Amino acid sequence: MSAEKRARHLAFLLNKDTFQVAFVEFRGKVYFSHFPKGSVAPSSAVVKLLQGLFDRHVDHSFFILRQRIFTTAPLTEMCKGMIKVVAKRASGEIIPEQDTHFQESLEFIEIDSAAEVLSTVTHLNAENKMPLAKLNEWLRNEKASTNQELLKAAHALSKQVPRGEVLHDHDRCIAALLVSKDGEVLSYGVNSNSKNKTLHAEVNLIHRYYREHGGKIPSGSVLYSTHKPCKMCAGMIYEWMETSANIKVYYSVEESGGLSSQTVLDRLGLNQQLPS
């Protein structure tokens, strides 16, 4: 049986009329996640699958995610970016189709509740839980208002992330601020990806904004990040903007490697590097 035909049959077995599904197969197990059709959120069946695998199967996620991911939904910039950064490959718009000759016994493991639009993550560090009122008060005391000052504030925020001797066992010192056109901090995020590789600062920022406000990033907002957003973060920022013409992203550190090069924000001219 071809991989595509197998994927169509697995999609048939997992199909729910009002949900998209994403799944990956590894050693006789099919890990899957559903996402409600028509829901508008900075998430998808693919995003829920990837975040949930790191959160619930962290010891095996590296090996599982070397396999091809399949989804019945189209692959958006957000999905493609996350796959590029934390997985290997994916195929979208798989059409469910029963294969009556399929006799193999498989174990199906649901990653998260089908009704939830965001994956429930447990590895979010304490530095991501500061009340926004406290952060806004701190910025007012610091008199941070210019692009340079707000970027400097993001760097100061990133330094709250504790470091240890074994760097890969600890979160990275990266932070991002989302500021409205009126100068109010709408959301923030710091890196917490030591265990869950999807929890970059910008992802945490956007998911927090969604949980607290529900809507998309308002036009005229500015996002300040200590580091240039990678393909995953850029894709999520792009998907969660009200309009692509009315947001700007400032950053100071551009890392080597391809994960933050030629992102969707680069293509739209929305990124700008400033000295730290």
Side-chain angles (χ1 to χ4, degrees):
M1 180 185 295
S2 70
E4 184 178 347
K5 191 172 183 180
R6 184 181 184 88
R8 290 200 299 266
H9 180 71
L10 292 178
F12 170 81
L13 295 177
L14 294 167
N15 188 47
K16 290 185 176 183
D17 288 341
T18 58
F19 292 87
Q20 301 283 9
V21 66
F23 57 92
V24 60
E25 187 179 358
F26 181 67
R27 293 184 177 176
K29 297 178 180 179
V30 179
Y31 301 87
F32 69 94
S33 185
H34 286 99
F35 185 80
K37 290 181 180 177
S39 294
V40 180
S43 185
S44 67
V46 168
V47 171
K48 285 179 64 180
L49 177 67
L50 294 173
Q51 290 198 314
L53 279 170
F54 278 113
D55 203 70
R56 294 155 186 75
H57 302 276
V58 63
D59 292 336
H60 305 291
S61 57
F62 173 81
F63 303 102
I64 296 170
L65 292 176
R66 296 185 72 84
Q67 315 308 310
R68 181 174 292 274
I69 294 166
F70 296 94
T71 180
T72 54
L75 291 174
T76 63
E77 289 287 347
M78 175 175 59
C79 296
K80 288 186 285 188
M82 189 169 282
I83 289 161
K84 187 74 174 178
V85 173
V86 304
K88 287 293 182 183
R89 58 192 72 84
S91 297
E93 299 182 274
I94 299 298
I95 299 172
E97 183 180 319
Q98 185 178 19
D99 185 335
T100 56
H101 300 292
F102 191 95
Q103 300 294 328
E104 192 174 341
S105 178
L106 296 169
E107 180 182 357
F108 289 86
I109 301 173
E110 186 170 20
I111 293 300
D112 215 332
S113 168
E116 297 294 331
V117 293
L118 293 187
S119 180
T120 304
V121 296
T122 59
H123 296 299
L124 200 64
N125 55 23
E127 290 72 32
N128 275 290
K129 299 174 183 178
M130 184 193 308
L132 289 183
K134 182 178 179 181
L135 184 56
N136 274 299
E137 182 182 5
W138 172 64
L139 288 177
R140 284 192 292 270
N141 291 337
E142 293 291 315
K143 295 182 171 57
S145 59
T146 68
N147 290 330
Q148 291 278 11
E149 290 167 346
L150 287 164
L151 197 54
K152 184 178 179 181
H155 277 278
L157 186 62
S158 75
K159 290 180 171 59
Q160 295 185 24
V161 179
R163 303 298 284 152
E165 292 182 5
V166 184
L167 296 185
H168 292 295
D169 288 343
H170 295 268
D171 302 322
R172 298 186 64 197
C173 295
I174 299 174
L177 295 170
L178 179 65
V179 181
S180 74
K181 60 183 179 182
D182 300 318
E184 191 81 3
V185 175
L186 300 173
S187 186
Y188 83 96
V190 299
N191 180 281
S192 55
N193 79 333
S194 60
K195 292 184 174 63
N196 190 326
K197 300 305 179 186
T198 69
L199 298 184
H200 288 198
E202 297 91 335
V203 171
N204 292 336
L205 177 153
I206 291 171
H207 280 182
R208 175 168 180 157
Y209 182 83
Y210 175 78
R211 287 188 173 101
E212 295 186 356
H213 300 278
K216 291 196 171 188
I217 296 172
S219 297
S221 301
V222 182
L223 194 149
Y224 300 90
S225 182
T226 56
H227 292 59
K228 183 182 180 183
C230 68
K231 293 180 188 294
M232 171 176 68
C233 298
M236 189 168 285
I237 293 167
Y238 170 77
E239 294 288 342
W240 208 240
M241 298 185 294
E242 274 187 353
T243 57
S244 62
N246 289 312
I247 188 172
K248 195 70 180 177
V249 178
Y250 292 106
Y251 65 93
S252 59
V253 179
E254 184 162 0
E255 296 182 299
S256 60
L259 293 182
S260 61
S261 65
Q262 299 180 338
T263 70
V264 62
L265 297 180
D266 291 329
R267 297 198 297 271
L268 293 172
L270 300 177
N271 271 339
Q272 184 175 339
Q273 186 175 21
L274 295 176
S276 57

PDB file of all heavy atoms in Angstrom, residues 19-44:
ATOM      1  N   PHE A  19     -14.622  18.434  12.092  1.00  0.00           N
ATOM      2  CA  PHE A  19     -13.249  18.644  12.553  1.00  0.00           C
ATOM      3  C   PHE A  19     -12.249  18.347  11.441  1.00  0.00           C
ATOM      4  O   PHE A  19     -12.469  17.467  10.608  1.00  0.00           O
ATOM      5  CB  PHE A  19     -12.920  17.730  13.744  1.00  0.00           C
ATOM      6  CG  PHE A  19     -13.674  18.055  14.999  1.00  0.00           C
ATOM      7  CD1 PHE A  19     -14.931  17.519  15.230  1.00  0.00           C
ATOM      8  CD2 PHE A  19     -13.130  18.901  15.951  1.00  0.00           C
ATOM      9  CE1 PHE A  19     -15.632  17.815  16.386  1.00  0.00           C
ATOM     10  CE2 PHE A  19     -13.818  19.201  17.116  1.00  0.00           C
ATOM     11  CZ  PHE A  19     -15.074  18.658  17.329  1.00  0.00           C
ATOM     12  N   GLN A  20     -11.152  19.094  11.447  1.00  0.00           N
ATOM     13  CA  GLN A  20      -9.968  18.715  10.693  1.00  0.00           C
ATOM     14  C   GLN A  20      -9.130  17.805  11.584  1.00  0.00           C
ATOM     15  O   GLN A  20      -9.235  17.866  12.812  1.00  0.00           O
ATOM     16  CB  GLN A  20      -9.145  19.951  10.307  1.00  0.00           C
ATOM     17  CG  GLN A  20      -9.883  20.975   9.469  1.00  0.00           C
ATOM     18  CD  GLN A  20     -10.025  20.558   8.014  1.00  0.00           C
ATOM     19  OE1 GLN A  20      -9.712  19.421   7.636  1.00  0.00           O
ATOM     20  NE2 GLN A  20     -10.501  21.469   7.185  1.00  0.00           N
ATOM     21  N   VAL A  21      -8.308  16.980  10.982  1.00  0.00           N
ATOM     22  CA  VAL A  21      -7.466  16.080  11.769  1.00  0.00           C
ATOM     23  C   VAL A  21      -6.038  16.120  11.241  1.00  0.00           C
ATOM     24  O   VAL A  21      -5.809  16.312  10.041  1.00  0.00           O
ATOM     25  CB  VAL A  21      -8.015  14.628  11.748  1.00  0.00           C
ATOM     26  CG1 VAL A  21      -7.937  14.020  10.355  1.00  0.00           C
ATOM     27  CG2 VAL A  21      -7.280  13.751  12.759  1.00  0.00           C
ATOM     28  N   ALA A  22      -5.092  15.983  12.147  1.00  0.00           N
ATOM     29  CA  ALA A  22      -3.683  15.813  11.795  1.00  0.00           C
ATOM     30  C   ALA A  22      -3.178  14.585  12.530  1.00  0.00           C
ATOM     31  O   ALA A  22      -3.583  14.324  13.668  1.00  0.00           O
ATOM     32  CB  ALA A  22      -2.867  17.044  12.181  1.00  0.00           C
ATOM     33  N   PHE A  23      -2.293  13.830  11.890  1.00  0.00           N
ATOM     34  CA  PHE A  23      -1.819  12.604  12.529  1.00  0.00           C
ATOM     35  C   PHE A  23      -0.431  12.239  12.024  1.00  0.00           C
ATOM     36  O   PHE A  23       0.016  12.684  10.963  1.00  0.00           O
ATOM     37  CB  PHE A  23      -2.797  11.443  12.276  1.00  0.00           C
ATOM     38  CG  PHE A  23      -3.072  11.150  10.825  1.00  0.00           C
ATOM     39  CD1 PHE A  23      -2.316  10.216  10.125  1.00  0.00           C
ATOM     40  CD2 PHE A  23      -4.088  11.808  10.151  1.00  0.00           C
ATOM     41  CE1 PHE A  23      -2.567   9.938   8.789  1.00  0.00           C
ATOM     42  CE2 PHE A  23      -4.353  11.540   8.809  1.00  0.00           C
ATOM     43  CZ  PHE A  23      -3.591  10.605   8.130  1.00  0.00           C
ATOM     44  N   VAL A  24       0.239  11.424  12.825  1.00  0.00           N
ATOM     45  CA  VAL A  24       1.554  10.914  12.470  1.00  0.00           C
ATOM     46  C   VAL A  24       1.644   9.487  12.999  1.00  0.00           C
ATOM     47  O   VAL A  24       1.153   9.186  14.093  1.00  0.00           O
ATOM     48  CB  VAL A  24       2.677  11.812  13.038  1.00  0.00           C
ATOM     49  CG1 VAL A  24       2.622  11.887  14.557  1.00  0.00           C
ATOM     50  CG2 VAL A  24       4.052  11.338  12.574  1.00  0.00           C
ATOM     51  N   GLU A  25       2.260   8.614  12.236  1.00  0.00           N
ATOM     52  CA  GLU A  25       2.338   7.197  12.596  1.00  0.00           C
ATOM     53  C   GLU A  25       3.771   6.836  12.961  1.00  0.00           C
ATOM     54  O   GLU A  25       4.724   7.221  12.276  1.00  0.00           O
ATOM     55  CB  GLU A  25       1.870   6.342  11.416  1.00  0.00           C
ATOM     56  CG  GLU A  25       1.761   4.866  11.732  1.00  0.00           C
ATOM     57  CD  GLU A  25       1.264   4.055  10.546  1.00  0.00           C
ATOM     58  OE1 GLU A  25       0.962   4.660   9.489  1.00  0.00           O
ATOM     59  OE2 GLU A  25       1.200   2.823  10.676  1.00  0.00           O
ATOM     60  N   PHE A  26       3.916   6.093  14.059  1.00  0.00           N
ATOM     61  CA  PHE A  26       5.254   5.687  14.498  1.00  0.00           C
ATOM     62  C   PHE A  26       5.152   4.390  15.288  1.00  0.00           C
ATOM     63  O   PHE A  26       4.478   4.319  16.314  1.00  0.00           O
ATOM     64  CB  PHE A  26       5.878   6.788  15.368  1.00  0.00           C
ATOM     65  CG  PHE A  26       7.268   6.474  15.860  1.00  0.00           C
ATOM     66  CD1 PHE A  26       8.332   6.377  14.977  1.00  0.00           C
ATOM     67  CD2 PHE A  26       7.509   6.284  17.213  1.00  0.00           C
ATOM     68  CE1 PHE A  26       9.617   6.090  15.429  1.00  0.00           C
ATOM     69  CE2 PHE A  26       8.789   6.003  17.683  1.00  0.00           C
ATOM     70  CZ  PHE A  26       9.847   5.901  16.782  1.00  0.00           C
ATOM     71  N   ARG A  27       5.793   3.361  14.773  1.00  0.00           N
ATOM     72  CA  ARG A  27       5.908   2.066  15.447  1.00  0.00           C
ATOM     73  C   ARG A  27       4.563   1.511  15.919  1.00  0.00           C
ATOM     74  O   ARG A  27       4.379   1.168  17.088  1.00  0.00           O
ATOM     75  CB  ARG A  27       6.886   2.163  16.616  1.00  0.00           C
ATOM     76  CG  ARG A  27       8.325   2.397  16.170  1.00  0.00           C
ATOM     77  CD  ARG A  27       9.287   2.400  17.333  1.00  0.00           C
ATOM     78  NE  ARG A  27      10.666   2.556  16.869  1.00  0.00           N
ATOM     79  CZ  ARG A  27      11.718   2.670  17.672  1.00  0.00           C
ATOM     80  NH1 ARG A  27      11.546   2.633  18.995  1.00  0.00           N
ATOM     81  NH2 ARG A  27      12.931   2.811  17.179  1.00  0.00           N
ATOM     82  N   GLY A  28       3.626   1.450  15.002  1.00  0.00           N
ATOM     83  CA  GLY A  28       2.338   0.845  15.302  1.00  0.00           C
ATOM     84  C   GLY A  28       1.368   1.724  16.057  1.00  0.00           C
ATOM     85  O   GLY A  28       0.281   1.274  16.438  1.00  0.00           O
ATOM     86  N   LYS A  29       1.748   2.978  16.276  1.00  0.00           N
ATOM     87  CA  LYS A  29       0.870   3.915  16.969  1.00  0.00           C
ATOM     88  C   LYS A  29       0.574   5.102  16.058  1.00  0.00           C
ATOM     89  O   LYS A  29       1.453   5.572  15.332  1.00  0.00           O
ATOM     90  CB  LYS A  29       1.515   4.404  18.267  1.00  0.00           C
ATOM     91  CG  LYS A  29       1.769   3.292  19.286  1.00  0.00           C
ATOM     92  CD  LYS A  29       2.443   3.835  20.534  1.00  0.00           C
ATOM     93  CE  LYS A  29       2.692   2.708  21.540  1.00  0.00           C
ATOM     94  NZ  LYS A  29       3.370   3.196  22.766  1.00  0.00           N
ATOM     95  N   VAL A  30      -0.664   5.571  16.115  1.00  0.00           N
ATOM     96  CA  VAL A  30      -1.063   6.746  15.346  1.00  0.00           C
ATOM     97  C   VAL A  30      -1.430   7.845  16.341  1.00  0.00           C
ATOM     98  O   VAL A  30      -2.408   7.726  17.083  1.00  0.00           O
ATOM     99  CB  VAL A  30      -2.259   6.450  14.420  1.00  0.00           C
ATOM    100  CG1 VAL A  30      -2.656   7.707  13.649  1.00  0.00           C
ATOM    101  CG2 VAL A  30      -1.919   5.313  13.458  1.00  0.00           C
ATOM    102  N   TYR A  31      -0.619   8.883  16.370  1.00  0.00           N
ATOM    103  CA  TYR A  31      -0.866  10.026  17.243  1.00  0.00           C
ATOM    104  C   TYR A  31      -1.678  11.040  16.435  1.00  0.00           C
ATOM    105  O   TYR A  31      -1.318  11.373  15.299  1.00  0.00           O
ATOM    106  CB  TYR A  31       0.450  10.645  17.693  1.00  0.00           C
ATOM    107  CG  TYR A  31       1.354   9.684  18.441  1.00  0.00           C
ATOM    108  CD1 TYR A  31       2.247   8.854  17.753  1.00  0.00           C
ATOM    109  CD2 TYR A  31       1.316   9.599  19.829  1.00  0.00           C
ATOM    110  CE1 TYR A  31       3.069   7.967  18.436  1.00  0.00           C
ATOM    111  CE2 TYR A  31       2.143   8.715  20.520  1.00  0.00           C
ATOM    112  CZ  TYR A  31       3.014   7.901  19.811  1.00  0.00           C
ATOM    113  OH  TYR A  31       3.830   7.023  20.486  1.00  0.00           O
ATOM    114  N   PHE A  32      -2.762  11.548  17.020  1.00  0.00           N
ATOM    115  CA  PHE A  32      -3.626  12.423  16.228  1.00  0.00           C
ATOM    116  C   PHE A  32      -4.219  13.539  17.080  1.00  0.00           C
ATOM    117  O   PHE A  32      -4.285  13.457  18.310  1.00  0.00           O
ATOM    118  CB  PHE A  32      -4.754  11.614  15.572  1.00  0.00           C
ATOM    119  CG  PHE A  32      -5.783  11.070  16.529  1.00  0.00           C
ATOM    120  CD1 PHE A  32      -6.957  11.770  16.792  1.00  0.00           C
ATOM    121  CD2 PHE A  32      -5.583   9.859  17.175  1.00  0.00           C
ATOM    122  CE1 PHE A  32      -7.909  11.277  17.677  1.00  0.00           C
ATOM    123  CE2 PHE A  32      -6.523   9.348  18.061  1.00  0.00           C
ATOM    124  CZ  PHE A  32      -7.691  10.058  18.315  1.00  0.00           C
ATOM    125  N   SER A  33      -4.656  14.575  16.380  1.00  0.00           N
ATOM    126  CA  SER A  33      -5.316  15.700  17.035  1.00  0.00           C
ATOM    127  C   SER A  33      -6.364  16.270  16.091  1.00  0.00           C
ATOM    128  O   SER A  33      -6.139  16.353  14.881  1.00  0.00           O
ATOM    129  CB  SER A  33      -4.295  16.781  17.400  1.00  0.00           C
ATOM    130  OG  SER A  33      -4.907  17.816  18.133  1.00  0.00           O
ATOM    131  N   HIS A  34      -7.510  16.654  16.649  1.00  0.00           N
ATOM    132  CA  HIS A  34      -8.579  17.279  15.876  1.00  0.00           C
ATOM    133  C   HIS A  34      -8.635  18.778  16.152  1.00  0.00           C
ATOM    134  O   HIS A  34      -8.230  19.236  17.224  1.00  0.00           O
ATOM    135  CB  HIS A  34      -9.937  16.658  16.224  1.00  0.00           C
ATOM    136  CG  HIS A  34     -10.141  15.293  15.658  1.00  0.00           C
ATOM    137  ND1 HIS A  34      -9.958  14.146  16.407  1.00  0.00           N
ATOM    138  CD2 HIS A  34     -10.506  14.881  14.416  1.00  0.00           C
ATOM    139  CE1 HIS A  34     -10.210  13.085  15.654  1.00  0.00           C
ATOM    140  NE2 HIS A  34     -10.548  13.499  14.443  1.00  0.00           N
ATOM    141  N   PHE A  35      -9.162  19.509  15.178  1.00  0.00           N
ATOM    142  CA  PHE A  35      -9.358  20.952  15.322  1.00  0.00           C
ATOM    143  C   PHE A  35     -10.715  21.296  14.726  1.00  0.00           C
ATOM    144  O   PHE A  35     -11.022  20.891  13.600  1.00  0.00           O
ATOM    145  CB  PHE A  35      -8.254  21.716  14.590  1.00  0.00           C
ATOM    146  CG  PHE A  35      -8.315  23.212  14.778  1.00  0.00           C
ATOM    147  CD1 PHE A  35      -7.823  23.798  15.933  1.00  0.00           C
ATOM    148  CD2 PHE A  35      -8.872  24.026  13.800  1.00  0.00           C
ATOM    149  CE1 PHE A  35      -7.877  25.172  16.116  1.00  0.00           C
ATOM    150  CE2 PHE A  35      -8.932  25.401  13.969  1.00  0.00           C
ATOM    151  CZ  PHE A  35      -8.432  25.979  15.132  1.00  0.00           C
ATOM    152  N   PRO A  36     -11.559  22.030  15.475  1.00  0.00           N
ATOM    153  CA  PRO A  36     -12.915  22.321  14.976  1.00  0.00           C
ATOM    154  C   PRO A  36     -12.895  23.135  13.686  1.00  0.00           C
ATOM    155  O   PRO A  36     -12.252  24.183  13.611  1.00  0.00           O
ATOM    156  CB  PRO A  36     -13.543  23.127  16.124  1.00  0.00           C
ATOM    157  CG  PRO A  36     -12.700  22.835  17.324  1.00  0.00           C
ATOM    158  CD  PRO A  36     -11.315  22.600  16.810  1.00  0.00           C
ATOM    159  N   LYS A  37     -13.595  22.656  12.679  1.00  0.00           N
ATOM    160  CA  LYS A  37     -13.701  23.396  11.421  1.00  0.00           C
ATOM    161  C   LYS A  37     -14.404  24.731  11.665  1.00  0.00           C
ATOM    162  O   LYS A  37     -15.361  24.809  12.428  1.00  0.00           O
ATOM    163  CB  LYS A  37     -14.500  22.590  10.390  1.00  0.00           C
ATOM    164  CG  LYS A  37     -13.782  21.366   9.856  1.00  0.00           C
ATOM    165  CD  LYS A  37     -14.643  20.637   8.830  1.00  0.00           C
ATOM    166  CE  LYS A  37     -13.942  19.405   8.276  1.00  0.00           C
ATOM    167  NZ  LYS A  37     -14.799  18.660   7.323  1.00  0.00           N
ATOM    168  N   GLY A  38     -13.922  25.761  11.012  1.00  0.00           N
ATOM    169  CA  GLY A  38     -14.533  27.079  11.152  1.00  0.00           C
ATOM    170  C   GLY A  38     -14.033  27.874  12.337  1.00  0.00           C
ATOM    171  O   GLY A  38     -14.351  29.061  12.462  1.00  0.00           O
ATOM    172  N   SER A  39     -13.253  27.258  13.218  1.00  0.00           N
ATOM    173  CA  SER A  39     -12.714  27.990  14.366  1.00  0.00           C
ATOM    174  C   SER A  39     -11.608  28.933  13.908  1.00  0.00           C
ATOM    175  O   SER A  39     -10.809  28.593  13.031  1.00  0.00           O
ATOM    176  CB  SER A  39     -12.157  27.019  15.411  1.00  0.00           C
ATOM    177  OG  SER A  39     -13.193  26.249  15.975  1.00  0.00           O
ATOM    178  N   VAL A  40     -11.577  30.106  14.507  1.00  0.00           N
ATOM    179  CA  VAL A  40     -10.549  31.093  14.189  1.00  0.00           C
ATOM    180  C   VAL A  40      -9.672  31.258  15.421  1.00  0.00           C
ATOM    181  O   VAL A  40     -10.093  31.810  16.436  1.00  0.00           O
ATOM    182  CB  VAL A  40     -11.174  32.442  13.783  1.00  0.00           C
ATOM    183  CG1 VAL A  40     -10.086  33.458  13.453  1.00  0.00           C
ATOM    184  CG2 VAL A  40     -12.110  32.256  12.594  1.00  0.00           C
ATOM    185  N   ALA A  41      -8.461  30.744  15.339  1.00  0.00           N
ATOM    186  CA  ALA A  41      -7.534  30.772  16.473  1.00  0.00           C
ATOM    187  C   ALA A  41      -6.117  30.617  15.938  1.00  0.00           C
ATOM    188  O   ALA A  41      -5.924  30.099  14.831  1.00  0.00           O
ATOM    189  CB  ALA A  41      -7.854  29.647  17.461  1.00  0.00           C
ATOM    190  N   PRO A  42      -5.111  31.052  16.700  1.00  0.00           N
ATOM    191  CA  PRO A  42      -3.719  30.857  16.273  1.00  0.00           C
ATOM    192  C   PRO A  42      -3.290  29.410  16.508  1.00  0.00           C
ATOM    193  O   PRO A  42      -2.373  29.114  17.269  1.00  0.00           O
ATOM    194  CB  PRO A  42      -2.948  31.843  17.159  1.00  0.00           C
ATOM    195  CG  PRO A  42      -3.771  31.932  18.402  1.00  0.00           C
ATOM    196  CD  PRO A  42      -5.200  31.797  17.966  1.00  0.00           C
ATOM    197  N   SER A  43      -3.985  28.510  15.845  1.00  0.00           N
ATOM    198  CA  SER A  43      -3.777  27.087  16.055  1.00  0.00           C
ATOM    199  C   SER A  43      -4.346  26.333  14.864  1.00  0.00           C
ATOM    200  O   SER A  43      -4.886  26.919  13.925  1.00  0.00           O
ATOM    201  CB  SER A  43      -4.457  26.642  17.358  1.00  0.00           C
ATOM    202  OG  SER A  43      -4.172  25.289  17.651  1.00  0.00           O
ATOM    203  N   SER A  44      -4.217  25.025  14.902  1.00  0.00           N
ATOM    204  CA  SER A  44      -4.734  24.143  13.858  1.00  0.00           C
ATOM    205  C   SER A  44      -4.566  22.720  14.363  1.00  0.00           C
ATOM    206  O   SER A  44      -3.977  22.490  15.428  1.00  0.00           O
ATOM    207  CB  SER A  44      -3.955  24.331  12.543  1.00  0.00           C
ATOM    208  OG  SER A  44      -2.617  23.881  12.710  1.00  0.00           O
TER     209      SER A  44
END
